[in-house]
């Protein structure tokens, strides 16, 4: 059974395994938890259980399960509006209309809403109407950071599943397998900074592994208060493409935010952040974060990269 793919959350997995064995699979689930808590993993498991043709669901090996876990099942449909902050009512209405077309090959038509917490009032009401009386083959899996983000009437029609942080040793063991090159200290720092959620911890460690040469140079120069090194770093960046320069600013911001967190008592995931936190005050780091955020906004406003690099040479002294 594919519930083993989900780390931790033992009580939740036991309850779901019992429900699956008794064929008590709801037509609507609401999975709640912060980013990186395993919501998407659990959503795929639930979708596979709804489509699985084996006696013990989800088996993970039948054609229906394999298609769900590969993301190619025609009856498991993601409903999202990634180009907008809120999921528009037009997107929800389109999904609702599609619901009344019978499944292509599966038992059910399953609609995944990865940003159910971003439904606006109009889209929430449109979804509620179809959830009140769905066809017998219709199913919904809603994902949100917090159940309070949804209408109470939508919540009342769902089985709520709350993702929990992982025990320290469970998370550290999983991270050690995924990042064998990282030290125990770095793994423990990722555990603390992530609050016990694997996805967030993995993102922190991935970022620590992919520091660009320019970011390493920035960390050394900034930590050492080396004005000449900062100037020599920023001058060639004047010729960079806008998208590449914006990405570099994001790396520098993540580095400084890690250093600021360390100043507040959190352990540092990357050695560069630790270096900065030891040599710069919290006020200095915060000032630099504000300067980089302003520069990022200026990039979006079409200010020339040369002008921004010149301004940063002055501001970061």
């Amino acid at each position: 059974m594919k519930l083993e793919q989900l780390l931790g959350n033992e009580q939740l997995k036991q309850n779901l395994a019992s429900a699956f064995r008794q064929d008590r699979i709801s037509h609507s689930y609401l999975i709640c938890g912060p980013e990186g808590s395993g919501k998407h993993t659990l959503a795929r498991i639930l979708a596979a259980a709804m489509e699985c043709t084996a006696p013990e669901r989800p088996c993970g090996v039948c054609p229906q399960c394999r298609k769900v876990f590969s993301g190619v099942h025609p009856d498991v449909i993601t409903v999202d509006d990634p180009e907008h902050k809120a999921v528009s009512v037009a997107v929800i209405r389109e999904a609702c209309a599609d619901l009344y077309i019978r499944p292509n090959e599966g038992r059910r038509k399953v609609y995944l809403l990865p940003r159910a917490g971003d439904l606006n009032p109009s889209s929430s009401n449109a979804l509620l109407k179809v959830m009140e009386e769905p066809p017998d083959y219709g199913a919904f899996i809603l994902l949100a950071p917090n159940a309070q983000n949804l209408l109470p009437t939508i919540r009342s029609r769902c089985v709520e599943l709350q993702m929990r942080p992982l025990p320290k040793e469970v998370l550290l063991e999983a991270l050690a397998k995924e990042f064998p090159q990282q030290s125990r200290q770095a793994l423990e720092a990722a555990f603390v900074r992530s609050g016990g959620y694997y996805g967030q911890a993995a993102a922190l460690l991935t970022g620590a592994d992919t520091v660009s040469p320019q970011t390493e140079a920035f960390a050394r120069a900034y930590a050492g208060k080396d004005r000449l090194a900062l100037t020599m770093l920023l001058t060639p960046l004047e010729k960079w493409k806008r998208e590449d320069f914006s990405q570099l600013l994001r790396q520098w911001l993540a580095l400084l935010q890690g250093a600021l967190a360390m100043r507040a008592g959190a352990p540092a995931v990357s050695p560069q952040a630790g270096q900065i936190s030891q040599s710069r005050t919290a006020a200095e780091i915060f000032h630099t974060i504000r300067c980089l955020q302003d520069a990022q906004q200026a990039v979006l406003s079409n200010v020339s990269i040369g002008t921004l690099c010149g301004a940063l040479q002055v501001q970061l002294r």
Side-chain angles (χ1 to χ4, degrees), residues 1 10 14-15 17 50 79 90 114 124 128-129 137 172 218 225 227 239 251 265 273 306:
M1 183 178 294
E10 296 303 326
Q14 290 176 20
N15 293 341
M50 293 177 181
V79 182
S124 293
L128 176 61
K129 288 179 181 178
Y137 55 79
L172 291 181
F218 170 76
K225 302 181 181 180
R227 297 181 181 180
K239 299 180 180 179
Q251 288 185 14

Side-chain angles (χ1 to χ4, degrees), residues 230-232 234-235 238 308-317:
L230 282 170
T231 299
M232 293 179 64
L234 286 163
T235 300
E238 295 177 0
L308 293 176
C309 287
L312 287 174
Q313 289 179 37
V314 176
Q315 294 169 340
L316 300 188
R317 290 179 178 178

Side-chain angles (χ1 to χ4, degrees), residues 146-223:
N146 194 315
Q148 303 297 327
N149 296 8
L150 280 77
L151 290 177
T153 43
I154 290 179
R155 291 175 55 190
S156 67
R157 286 164 174 78
C158 298
V159 174
E160 289 189 25
L161 304 174
Q162 180 66 50
M163 308 303 296
R164 302 296 180 188
L166 304 181
K168 181 177 181 179
E169 290 308 317
V170 171
L171 180 54
L172 291 181
E173 180 181 356
L175 292 175
K177 291 179 181 178
E178 182 70 18
F179 302 95
Q181 74 282 4
Q182 291 287 357
S183 66
R184 175 79 179 193
Q185 181 180 5
L187 298 180
E188 292 191 351
F191 167 76
V192 173
R193 292 276 301 281
S194 69
Y197 293 106
Y198 178 84
Q200 294 184 29
L204 288 167
L205 292 170
T206 299
D209 280 347
T210 57
V211 173
S212 67
Q214 292 80 14
T215 298
E216 288 186 353
F218 170 76
R220 287 195 302 270
Y222 183 70

